Coordinates of all heavy atoms in Angstrom, one line a residue:
A1 N 13.5 10.7 4.0 CA 12.7 11.8 3.5 C 11.6 11.4 2.6 O 10.5 11.9 2.6 CB 13.7 12.8 2.7
A2 N 11.9 10.4 1.7 CA 10.9 9.9 0.8 C 9.7 9.3 1.6 O 8.5 9.5 1.3 CB 11.4 8.9 -0.2
E3 N 10.0 8.5 2.6 CA 9.0 7.8 3.3 C 8.2 8.9 4.2 O 6.9 8.9 4.3 CB 9.6 6.9 4.4 CG 10.2 5.6 3.7 CD 9.1 4.6 3.1 OE1 8.0 4.9 3.1 OE2 9.6 3.5 2.6
G4 N 8.9 9.9 4.6 CA 8.3 11.0 5.3 C 7.2 11.7 4.5 O 6.2 12.3 5.0
R5 N 7.5 11.8 3.2 CA 6.5 12.5 2.2 C 5.3 11.7 1.9 O 4.3 12.2 1.4 CB 7.3 12.8 0.9 CG 8.3 13.9 1.0 CD 8.6 14.5 -0.4 NE 9.2 13.4 -1.2 CZ 10.5 13.1 -1.3 NH1 11.4 13.9 -0.5 NH2 11.0 12.1 -2.1
R6 N 5.4 10.5 2.2 CA 4.2 9.5 2.1 C 3.7 9.5 0.6 O 2.8 10.1 0.2 CB 3.0 9.9 3.0 CG 3.4 9.9 4.5 CD 2.2 10.1 5.3 NE 1.3 9.0 5.4 CZ 0.0 9.0 5.6 NH1 -0.6 10.1 5.7 NH2 -0.7 7.9 5.6
S7 N 4.4 8.7 -0.1 CA 4.0 8.5 -1.6 C 2.6 8.0 -1.6 O 2.1 7.2 -0.9 CB 4.8 7.4 -2.2 OG 4.3 6.9 -3.3
P8 N 1.8 8.6 -2.6 CA 0.4 8.1 -2.7 C 0.2 6.6 -2.9 O -0.7 6.0 -2.5 CB -0.1 8.9 -3.9 CG 0.7 10.1 -4.0 CD 2.0 9.7 -3.5
D9 N 1.2 6.0 -3.7 CA 1.2 4.6 -3.9 C 1.4 3.9 -2.6 O 0.6 2.9 -2.3 CB 2.3 4.2 -4.8 CG 2.1 4.8 -6.2 OD1 1.0 5.1 -6.6 OD2 3.2 4.8 -7.0
K10 N 2.3 4.3 -1.7 CA 2.5 3.7 -0.4 C 1.3 3.8 0.5 O 0.9 2.8 1.2 CB 3.7 4.2 0.2 CG 4.1 3.7 1.6 CD 4.8 2.3 1.4 CE 5.3 1.7 2.7 NZ 6.6 2.4 3.1
V11 N 0.7 5.0 0.5 CA -0.5 5.2 1.3 C -1.7 4.3 0.9 O -2.3 3.6 1.8 CB -1.0 6.7 1.1 CG1 -2.4 6.8 1.8 CG2 0.0 7.7 1.7
Q12 N -1.9 4.1 -0.4 CA -3.0 3.2 -0.8 C -2.5 1.7 -0.5 O -3.4 0.9 -0.1 CB -3.2 3.4 -2.3 CG -4.5 2.6 -2.8 CD -4.9 3.0 -4.2 OE1 -4.3 3.9 -4.7 NE2 -5.9 2.3 -4.7
F13 N -1.4 1.4 -0.8 CA -1.0 0.0 -0.5 C -1.1 -0.3 1.0 O -1.8 -1.3 1.2 CB 0.5 -0.1 -0.9 CG 1.1 -1.5 -0.6 CD1 1.0 -2.5 -1.6 CD2 1.7 -1.8 0.6 CE1 1.5 -3.8 -1.4 CE2 2.3 -3.1 0.7 CZ 2.2 -4.1 -0.3
M14 N -0.7 0.5 1.8 CA -0.9 0.2 3.3 C -2.3 0.3 3.7 O -2.7 -0.5 4.6 CB 0.0 1.3 4.1 CG 1.5 1.0 4.0 SD 1.9 -0.6 4.5 CE 3.7 -0.6 4.3
S15 N -3.1 1.1 3.1 CA -4.6 1.2 3.4 C -5.2 -0.2 3.0 O -6.0 -0.7 3.9 CB -5.2 2.3 2.6 OG -6.6 2.3 2.8
I16 N -4.8 -0.7 2.0 CA -5.4 -2.1 1.5 C -4.8 -3.2 2.5 O -5.6 -4.1 2.8 CB -4.9 -2.4 0.1 CG1 -5.5 -1.4 -0.9 CG2 -5.4 -3.8 -0.3 CD1 -5.0 -1.5 -2.3
V17 N -3.6 -3.1 2.9 CA -3.0 -4.0 4.0 C -3.9 -4.0 5.1 O -4.3 -5.1 5.7 CB -1.6 -3.7 4.2 CG1 -1.1 -4.7 5.4 CG2 -0.7 -4.0 3.0
R18 N -4.2 -2.8 5.7 CA -5.0 -2.7 6.9 C -6.4 -3.2 6.7 O -7.0 -3.8 7.6 CB -5.0 -1.3 7.4 CG -3.6 -0.9 8.0 CD -3.7 0.5 8.6 NE -3.8 1.6 7.6 CZ -2.9 2.2 7.1 NH1 -1.6 1.9 7.4 NH2 -3.1 3.1 6.2
Q19 N -7.0 -2.9 5.6 CA -8.4 -3.1 5.4 C -8.7 -4.6 4.8 O -9.7 -5.2 5.2 CB -9.0 -2.2 4.5 CG -9.0 -0.8 5.0 CD -9.5 0.4 4.0 OE1 -10.2 0.0 3.0 NE2 -9.3 1.5 4.3
E20 N -7.9 -5.1 4.0 CA -8.1 -6.4 3.3 C -7.0 -7.4 3.5 O -7.2 -8.6 3.1 CB -8.3 -6.1 1.8 CG -9.4 -5.1 1.5 CD -9.5 -4.8 0.0 OE1 -9.4 -5.8 -0.7 OE2 -9.6 -3.6 -0.4
G21 N -5.9 -6.9 4.1 CA -4.8 -7.9 4.2 C -3.7 -7.8 3.2 O -3.8 -7.1 2.2
L22 N -2.5 -8.3 3.6 CA -1.3 -8.1 2.7 C -1.5 -8.8 1.3 O -1.0 -8.3 0.3 CB -0.1 -8.7 3.4 CG 1.3 -8.7 2.7 CD1 1.6 -7.2 2.4 CD2 2.4 -9.3 3.5
R23 N -2.1 -10.0 1.3 CA -2.4 -10.7 0.1 C -3.0 -9.8 -0.9 O -2.7 -9.7 -2.2 CB -3.0 -12.0 0.3 CG -3.1 -12.9 -1.0 CD -3.8 -14.2 -0.6 NE -3.2 -14.9 0.4 CZ -2.2 -15.8 0.2 NH1 -1.8 -16.0 -1.1 NH2 -1.8 -16.5 1.1
A24 N -4.1 -9.1 -0.5 CA -4.9 -8.3 -1.3 C -4.1 -7.1 -1.8 O -4.2 -6.6 -2.9 CB -6.2 -7.8 -0.6
A25 N -3.2 -6.5 -0.9 CA -2.4 -5.4 -1.3 C -1.3 -5.8 -2.3 O -1.1 -5.0 -3.3 CB -1.7 -4.8 -0.1
L26 N -0.8 -7.0 -2.2 CA 0.2 -7.4 -3.2 C -0.5 -7.7 -4.5 O 0.0 -7.4 -5.6 CB 0.8 -8.7 -2.7 CG 1.8 -8.6 -1.5 CD1 2.2 -10.0 -1.0 CD2 3.0 -7.8 -1.8
A27 N -1.8 -8.2 -4.5 CA -2.5 -8.4 -5.7 C -2.7 -7.0 -6.4 O -2.7 -6.9 -7.6 CB -3.8 -9.1 -5.5
W28 N -3.1 -6.0 -5.6 CA -3.3 -4.7 -6.2 C -2.0 -4.1 -6.8 O -2.0 -3.6 -7.9 CB -3.8 -3.7 -5.0 CG -3.7 -2.3 -5.4 CD1 -4.7 -1.5 -6.0 CD2 -2.7 -1.3 -5.1 NE1 -4.3 -0.3 -6.2 CE2 -3.1 -0.1 -5.6 CE3 -1.4 -1.4 -4.5 CZ2 -2.2 1.0 -5.6 CZ3 -0.6 -0.3 -4.5 CH2 -1.0 0.9 -4.9
R29 N -1.0 -4.3 -6.1 CA 0.3 -4.0 -6.6 C 0.7 -4.6 -8.0 O 1.1 -3.9 -8.9 CB 1.4 -4.3 -5.6 CG 2.9 -3.9 -6.1 CD 4.0 -4.6 -5.2 NE 4.1 -6.0 -5.5 CZ 5.0 -6.8 -4.9 NH1 5.8 -6.3 -4.0 NH2 5.1 -8.1 -5.3
E30 N 0.4 -5.9 -8.1 CA 0.7 -6.5 -9.4 C -0.3 -6.1 -10.5 O 0.2 -6.1 -11.7 CB 0.7 -8.1 -9.1 CG 1.7 -8.6 -8.2 CD 3.1 -8.1 -8.6 OE1 3.5 -8.2 -9.8 OE2 3.8 -7.6 -7.7

C-alpha cells in the first residue's frame, strides 16, 4: 500500500536514478 501511494521521496529518488544514475541518487539521499 505504501509503495502504491508513491512517496514523494521515492519518486524523486527514482527520477534521479533514471536521469543521472544510481550513484547520483544515492548521493542525493545522503
Side-chain angles (χ1 to χ4, degrees):
E3 293 288 4
R5 286 196 301 270
R6 303 187 72 208
S7 161
D9 293 343
K10 181 75 172 287
V11 171
Q12 187 167 355
F13 180 87
M14 288 303 182
S15 176
I16 296 171
V17 173
R18 287 188 289 270
Q19 295 174 18
E20 303 177 44
L22 182 58
R23 189 181 299 273
L26 293 173
W28 169 83
R29 182 192 72 180
E30 295 309 311

